[in-house]
Amino acid sequence: MLRGLMNLFSLCWKPFGPDGENHEINGVLGGGGGTTGCSREGKDGLLWFRDIGKYGSGEFSMAVVQANQVLEDQSQIESGQFGTFVGIYDGHGGPEAARYVCDHLFSNFRAITAESHGVVTAETIQRAFRQTEEGFTTLVSELWGSRPNMATVGTCCLVGVIYQQTLFIASLGDSRVVLGKKVGNTGGMAAMRLSTEHNANIEAIRHELKELHPNDPQIVVLKHGVWRVKGIIQVSRSIGDLYMKHAQYNREPINAKFRLPEPMNMPLLSANPTIISHPLHPSDSFLIFASDGLWEHLSNEKAVDIVHNHPRAGSAKRLVKAALQEAARKREMRYSDLQKIDKKVRRHFHDDITVIVLFFNHDLISRGAVQDPPVSIRSALEH
């Protein structure tokens, strides 16, 4: 079944035609003949975009820009009769954990949901995260002899699930989802953050870590103006990063910069997501899911204004470009100059950035209907 899913995903990323467009057949890009809908997608240097497409409860826009030598962000949209699943996985230390989560988290979620006859709860989502962490731990254990540095690879995870008229948000790390909500009949749009971020630069997270580790005065350390867990990593929750969770992986031959000077008596990081449920309301207009590379340069309000004040098509690309323009401005550069900088070197100016914008069709949501065709889209491994 996994091979079949991977074949399905691979179809999403056929080379683009000369017109920069591709078509969606049963939710999959590529192919020819009769189409069930089409949308423009393309590439602009290190930026890939999907301007507009349909998912079960409305329309979506998607974009990714690469900054690292190897893209460490992964993302996916899965939509069908079960509802809609959106995932953004912001890897660190390498792409392997993000790719693993993109390969397994949704399939674990579907299998667990099937056991509960299709009913989605916070517990089913939590179990999918737990199963994915356990699977990645098994993989790291199997590869310890040949690829020990897999123990130092991890990923933040931001997941949204639309089930009937409820939105679930589950988060590990510091990616963020913001809701654009209509303000009465004013024509205005308010920005409401729905996710919880787990980053040691946030005072509440430092307090949480100190409460969990009362006997460790070095649980958070300020280095070069940045708070880090044990002076090493900013996020306090993730999938992977096993060197900060299991003592057996915090030893040679992993890189010395990851090894702790004292024994690890308990996990320092957690893979337990914060999950909220939000009943969808007709005033809820759209969601912006994005890795922290976007929010480093754009406020919640600015991002919502950009989406609200422009056509839906190209929303995600527009947000990425706005963040890149701000990154260039901070370095007293022109955006056109930033575009000429290649991956890896580009990382000195901005991070990999992934954005997915979901627009709600409340007529479909209120009727409990799902528009066809089903959608299965995953971001490319490389652009």
Side-chain angles (χ1 to χ4, degrees):
M1 180 180 176
L2 179 58
R3 181 180 296 275
L5 279 172
M6 291 306 294
N7 290 339
L8 178 66
F9 288 140
S10 69
L11 291 174
C12 298
W13 310 111
K14 297 293 185 184
F16 305 119
D19 61 354
E21 293 190 356
N22 236 325
H23 297 286
E24 181 178 275
I25 301 178
N26 295 327
V28 181
L29 292 177
T35 61
T36 55
C38 64
S39 62
R40 184 173 183 271
E41 73 164 76
K43 195 172 177 237
D44 179 8
L46 296 175
L47 171 64
W48 170 88
F49 56 89
R50 178 83 182 271
D51 273 343
I52 198 76
K54 291 184 178 181
Y55 76 99
S57 299
E59 294 179 310
F60 73 88
S61 182
M62 192 173 185
V64 181
V65 66
Q66 182 172 348
N68 288 291
Q69 177 64 39
V70 178
L71 181 71
E72 294 182 338
D73 278 12
Q74 294 288 298
S75 56
Q76 66 188 137
I77 302 175
E78 308 286 342
S79 191
Q81 292 300 319
F82 68 91
T84 297
F85 179 104
V86 173
I88 287 183
Y89 318 116
D90 180 2
H92 45 261
E96 293 87 357
R99 291 180 183 180
Y100 181 90
V101 172
C102 205
D103 286 343
H104 294 88
L105 181 57
F106 172 69
S107 56
N108 289 338
F109 165 77
R110 284 302 308 272
I112 291 166
T113 303
E115 292 173 10
S116 58
H117 307 290
V119 176
V120 176
T121 64
E123 173 58 24
T124 59
I125 298 170
Q126 194 125 22
R127 284 179 58 198
F129 271 78
R130 188 161 57 242
Q131 200 171 101
T132 306
E133 168 82 350
E134 290 169 356
F136 189 71
T137 302
T138 298
L139 177 63
V140 171
S141 176
E142 291 170 350
L143 295 175
W144 176 252
S146 59
R147 296 180 62 191
N149 284 332
M150 281 284 284
T152 67
V153 176
T155 187
C156 302
C157 301
L158 176 64
V159 166
V161 177
I162 299 172
Y163 171 68
Q164 295 178 353
Q165 297 183 46
T166 300
L167 168 70
F168 292 93
I169 298 293
S171 59
L172 294 171
D174 53 10
S175 296
R176 184 185 304 172
V177 58
V178 173
L179 171 69
K181 192 176 185 70
K182 295 174 185 174
V183 182
N185 296 317
T186 65
M189 192 73 64
M192 180 186 300
R193 187 171 70 188
L194 295 183
S195 54
T196 300
E197 291 161 43
H198 311 106
N199 188 307
N201 277 314
I202 300 170
E203 186 176 358
I205 297 301
R206 294 198 297 277
H207 182 71
E208 176 183 83
L209 286 164
K210 289 174 182 177
E211 281 197 330
L212 290 169
H213 306 273
N215 300 318
D216 186 352
Q218 298 295 306
I219 186 62
V220 286
V221 176
L222 185 65
K223 289 185 69 173
H224 309 298
V226 177
W227 287 98
R228 297 177 184 271
V229 181
K230 302 301 288 185
I232 298 174
I233 186 170
Q234 285 182 251
V235 295
S236 63
R237 303 193 196 191
S238 66
I239 285 180
D241 295 310
L242 299 185
Y243 74 104
M244 294 288 272
K245 296 174 180 175
H246 305 285
Q248 70 199 77
Y249 299 117
N250 198 288
R251 59 184 176 88
E252 292 185 339
I254 70 168
N255 193 302
K257 69 180 181 180
F258 297 116
R259 300 203 296 268
L260 300 174
E262 68 281 338
M264 188 190 308
N265 300 316
M266 64 181 290
L268 303 176
L269 303 187
S270 166
N272 187 32
T274 298
I275 302 177
I276 66 105
S277 63
H278 172 84
L280 290 172
H281 187 272
S283 62
D284 297 340
S285 184
F286 55 82
L287 295 168
I288 303 171
F289 293 84
S291 53
D292 72 314
L294 181 84
W295 308 112
E296 180 183 351
H297 300 294
L298 295 184
S299 68
N300 300 343
E301 292 75 19
K302 178 66 173 176
V304 166
D305 285 347
I306 289 170
V307 174
H308 176 53
N309 292 317
H310 292 87
R312 289 185 174 188
S315 292
K317 176 176 63 177
R318 206 170 285 117
L319 287 169
V320 170
K321 286 191 171 182
L324 297 184
Q325 286 166 348
E326 179 61 16
R329 187 196 65 78
K330 288 175 181 175
R331 301 296 287 271
E332 298 183 341
M333 298 171 60
R334 291 177 300 184
Y335 173 62
S336 57
D337 293 330
L338 179 63
Q339 283 183 297
K340 297 171 186 173
I341 300 174
D342 201 2
K343 58 189 177 182
K344 190 176 182 180
V345 178
R346 183 80 79 88
R347 183 61 183 89
H348 295 294
F349 300 85
H350 66 85
D351 199 356
D352 295 333
I353 301 174
T354 298
V355 178
I356 296 175
V357 182
L358 290 190
F359 297 94
F360 295 123
N361 180 327
H362 285 286
D363 180 52
L364 287 173
I365 293 170
S366 63
R367 290 190 288 111
V370 176
Q371 65 183 4
D372 286 328
V375 174
S376 181
I377 296 177
R378 172 176 168 171
S379 64
L381 296 181
E382 285 282 358
H383 299 311

